[in-house]
Amino acid sequence: MPKLFRHTQNGLLYLIECYKHFVFYSILSGMLFCTELAFAQNNENLTEMPLEDLLAKEVTTASKLAQQISDSPSAVSIVTAKDIKSYGYHTLADIIDSMRGLNTVTDHVYTYMSGRGFGRPGDYPGRVMLLIDGHQANDNLYNASYLGHDGLLDTELIERVEYVSGPGSVVYGNGAFYGIINVITKKGADYNSTQFALDAYSHNGYKGRITYGHALENGADILMSVSGLRSRGQDWYFNAFDTPATNFGIAENLDNEKNKRFFFKGHYQQWSLEAAYVDRKKDDPAAAYGTDFNAKPNSLQDTNAYLHLSYEDALSEHLKNVSKIYYGHYQYDAQNLSSGVLYHEDNIGRWWGAETKFVYTGFNQHQLVYGAEIRDDFQQDFIFPTAKVENSSYMASVYLQDEYRWSQQWALNAGLRGDYGGKNANNLSPRLALLYSPQENLEIKASYATAFRRANAFEKYYEDGSTQLANPDLKKEQVKAYELVVDYQPDAKSKLMGSLYYYKTEDAIQINALVLLPGFTQANNADAMFRTRGMDWEYERRFTPTSRIRANYAWQYSTQESRQWMVNSPKNLAKFNYAQDLFDQQLNLGLELQYVGKRLTEQRATLGSYSVVNLTMYNNTWFKNTTLSASVKNLLNRHYAVPAPDYSTPDRFEQDGARAWVQVTYDLK
């Protein structure tokens, strides 16, 4: 907090100088607001309409307001609660793996996401921002998204997941680099009961959950959920450790995992309160960062939590406001053996922030969205056995977005955001999109956007004396993106969407092994510009109320250093989903096929392509208020591997074979 206030004056001077037109629009809208107060009753429907319904409910992420998918300046994909149930998605990674152009890999402790051809192994920030109900869910030490059982949410609490591809810094600022994923949670009214769930899955895994949701007579809506999970895991073989001294490469009983979660969501009149907490402990069978192989203890523990309070109000007929304050906490605790000596690391990150945003519709044919945000990462500490690295950072931001629709066919979406966060963290993020609709069911969008990501605390300040050196002079990453999107809805039951894009990324931050200091790594800005050329498409169709398909394909080619193909960047990704009710709706079948093309390891070795088949079935008619569900992931037991970081002893990680998951859910009604 002291650092934030110490730099406030400089930040304000920077913002004032760079954003004179922001001030103009804010003053003008404020004057109109004062005038409009006297006429607030003229449009009763608009005044009473909730902010998230101002445009529509289909997508909320693209403009930080609800918006029709066809009106969004970006390409939007959605996975619904029905999809989650039909295809047996038990982690956010499962959901992401089904989405257009996205892919995840795991090192048996964490799951990493790649998108738009960029996903270097071991890179904590996936450069696709993760939001939960519009609130950023990345931590403030590693800027990581937690996608497995370390994630904040049980998938049963998710109403839908929106993926908006392309830079989003104009609205969301630092870190919204190649896209945004917004997880929208359910409401208490979606349950109106107490729900119990018991799960069992492969490798001695068990999970229990209790969820209470209810819409009260006074208009309040409450959702609460607690859950816990435990798994013994499996024994893993690593060829790089195949010696008699290291148990011939077999890590025995070193895949244990357990977690506990809590989630609360409440809404009453204009007030909303949301809180989430997860504590996950996981063993590391791969002996990362030079720790002793097949030795105990070798475990990591993550604790992640947030608290958000927001207030929404209609200030006038044409002006609405949402203001929020938030607090976040992250803690990382590692215990392992290194050369037989116990090593303990305990890292803590805490932050708070406040934001206010407005939507103004008083200008003819215009919709203005503008606001300001301040965030104070007042604790970013790395605590080692013999040293403690303390740091803090801050960010002050203002933004403005205007959508000008001068006819039914044409619209222009323009936005600009200014962020001030001190050295190597100041940025202007513009976006310009032209939307053309030659007919009601066809939308063509051409856009140019930029985004930035400043180095996180781990990349800049982490220095433990034995594995990594700090680099406080790291510059921010920047990307310029050009994209053409076509949305076509031939009828009410189908949708086809496609996009072409070209990205240029400068000063990409990479953690590399140091040649002159063997055993050490350091984060540095890449000298060469990264370029990505790609296209993707997605098709959805509902044949009957109980039968539907979704298919998508992405071709992406990312290069660096004289057009050299990037590591862990498959050129081809294809997914196919089919759901169908059988036996007069007695049984629901969900079939999923995923194909991932060839990719390179850090040593420039080629890993072959692979395909997996996932099968899910559920029934909710055999027993009253009871749903039975069973899934088999990787049904054909395909063996495949993903690249490992260049500072890891194995150059690849074998992935799970066939595994089963069974769930019984009972609603107490």
Side-chain angles (χ1 to χ4, degrees), residues 490-525:
D491 52 56
K493 296 182 179 181
S494 57
K495 175 194 171 187
L496 177 63
M497 183 270 295
S499 67
L500 295 170
Y501 56 87
Y502 174 60
Y503 288 3
K504 295 192 297 184
T505 303
E506 298 179 277
D507 297 320
I509 300 170
Q510 303 179 100
I511 296 180
N512 297 315
L514 297 178
V515 177
L516 298 180
L517 288 173
F520 280 87
T521 62
Q522 186 182 50
N524 289 280
N525 294 103

Side-chain angles (χ1 to χ4, degrees), residues 176-469:
F177 208 70
Y178 291 138
I180 299 164
I181 291 177
N182 193 12
V183 181
I184 310 298
T185 59
K186 294 180 179 179
K187 301 176 182 178
D190 295 321
Y191 291 89
N192 273 333
S193 70
T194 300
Q195 186 178 91
F196 302 89
L198 291 175
D199 302 47
Y201 58 99
S202 295
H203 314 303
N204 294 310
Y206 304 94
K207 177 184 174 183
R209 177 178 56 86
I210 302 175
T211 301
Y212 169 80
H214 201 69
L216 306 180
E217 293 182 359
N218 63 359
D221 187 276
I222 296 175
L223 175 64
M224 291 186 293
S225 184
V226 294
S227 68
L229 172 147
R230 182 183 292 269
S231 170
R232 179 191 176 279
Q234 57 186 307
D235 295 340
W236 287 98
Y237 169 75
F238 299 94
N239 180 68
F241 295 105
D242 193 347
T243 67
T246 52
N247 199 34
F248 298 98
I250 300 174
E252 293 184 312
N253 196 25
L254 272 169
D255 195 29
N256 295 282
E257 182 174 29
K258 61 181 179 180
N259 79 3
K260 49 182 179 283
R261 286 179 172 134
F262 169 78
F263 181 76
F264 173 85
K265 182 178 181 180
H267 178 80
Y268 179 66
Q269 295 182 354
Q270 291 102 331
W271 292 95
S272 295
L273 178 66
E274 186 168 306
Y277 168 87
V278 61
D279 181 86
R280 191 279 305 248
K281 186 175 183 180
K282 178 71 171 67
D283 288 344
D284 180 10
Y289 299 102
T291 57
D292 295 347
F293 182 77
N294 195 40
K296 286 191 175 185
N298 195 354
S299 64
L300 306 98
Q301 186 169 359
D302 301 276
T303 303
N304 214 333
Y306 69 75
L307 179 67
H308 299 141
L309 177 66
S310 63
Y311 180 80
E312 174 186 323
D313 197 14
L315 302 178
S316 77
E317 178 182 346
H318 294 298
L319 184 65
K320 293 180 181 290
N321 170 255
V322 169
S323 297
K324 70 176 181 180
I325 56 174
Y326 56 88
Y327 170 82
H329 171 92
Y330 174 76
Q331 186 167 359
Y332 167 89
D333 191 311
Q335 296 188 65
N336 44 52
L337 291 179
S338 182
S339 300
V341 178
L342 180 63
Y343 179 86
H344 183 203
E345 183 177 327
D346 189 2
N347 306 327
I348 302 174
R350 293 189 293 166
W351 62 95
W352 72 271
E355 180 184 11
T356 184
K357 66 173 177 277
F358 300 85
V359 55
Y360 182 72
T361 57
F363 292 129
N364 185 32
Q365 299 174 320
H366 288 265
Q367 177 176 272
L368 292 177
V369 179
Y370 60 98
E373 182 175 6
I374 193 164
R375 171 166 168 154
D376 185 10
D377 293 286
F378 62 91
Q379 185 174 20
Q380 296 172 309
D381 297 348
F382 300 97
I383 305 170
F384 309 113
T386 58
K388 181 178 181 180
V389 178
E390 295 180 320
N391 186 64
S392 62
S393 61
Y394 66 95
M395 188 72 78
S397 312
V398 293
Y399 56 88
L400 170 69
Q401 178 177 276
D402 181 22
E403 182 160 299
Y404 172 46
R405 184 170 290 277
W406 64 88
S407 72
Q408 291 185 344
Q409 289 79 31
W410 291 96
L412 183 69
N413 185 291
L416 182 68
R417 181 184 178 108
D419 294 279
Y420 181 83
K423 182 180 179 181
N424 294 323
N426 305 325
N427 199 75
L428 282 172
S429 303
R431 180 179 69 191
L432 186 66
L434 183 65
L435 287 70
Y436 174 57
S437 181
Q439 56 192 56
E440 186 177 352
N441 60 351
L442 177 63
E443 189 89 16
I444 302 171
K445 316 166 193 179
S447 65
Y448 165 79
T450 69
F452 81 106
R453 183 183 77 85
R454 70 176 178 185
N456 59 52
F458 174 73
E459 293 164 334
K460 291 182 71 173
Y461 303 113
Y462 187 94
E463 184 163 314
D464 59 359
S466 59
T467 64
Q468 185 166 320
L469 300 179

Side-chain angles (χ1 to χ4, degrees), residues 498-649:
S499 67
L500 295 170
Y501 56 87
Y502 174 60
Y503 288 3
K504 295 192 297 184
T505 303
E506 298 179 277
D507 297 320
I509 300 170
Q510 303 179 100
I511 296 180
N512 297 315
L514 297 178
V515 177
L516 298 180
L517 288 173
F520 280 87
T521 62
Q522 186 182 50
N524 289 280
N525 294 103
D527 293 329
M529 180 180 291
F530 293 0
R531 302 174 189 272
T532 301
R533 300 167 177 82
M535 58 81 65
D536 53 38
W537 59 262
E538 181 174 79
Y539 176 72
E540 297 181 56
R541 179 165 179 80
R542 178 170 56 88
F543 297 103
T544 69
T546 61
S547 175
R548 65 190 187 280
I549 65 168
R550 183 177 76 246
N552 60 68
Y553 169 76
W555 178 86
Q556 50 198 14
Y557 184 45
S558 295
T559 59
Q560 67 182 96
E561 299 176 5
S562 303
R563 307 301 173 111
Q564 188 179 49
W565 185 21
M566 284 183 60
V567 170
N568 192 36
S569 180
K571 296 178 184 178
N572 297 282
L573 293 169
K575 292 93 178 274
F576 176 81
N577 293 73
Y578 174 69
Q580 174 70 59
D581 278 343
L582 304 173
F583 310 119
D584 195 22
Q585 302 186 23
Q586 294 292 306
L587 191 67
N588 182 279
L589 172 71
L591 180 67
E592 181 174 54
L593 290 80
Q594 297 180 0
Y595 171 82
V596 178
K598 297 178 181 179
R599 63 182 105 185
L600 297 179
T601 69
E602 291 282 2
Q603 288 72 37
R604 311 301 296 179
T606 301
L607 295 181
S609 61
Y610 65 87
S611 301
V612 295
V613 178
N614 304 321
L615 181 66
T616 298
M617 294 181 289
Y618 75 83
N619 169 273
N620 54 15
T621 61
W622 293 346
F623 303 99
K624 185 178 180 180
N625 300 334
T626 303
T627 299
L628 306 176
S629 176
S631 299
V632 180
K633 303 296 183 181
N634 195 359
L635 179 66
L636 303 180
N637 197 31
R638 297 297 189 192
H639 296 282
Y640 62 97
V642 300
D646 66 350
Y647 48 82
S648 173
T649 298

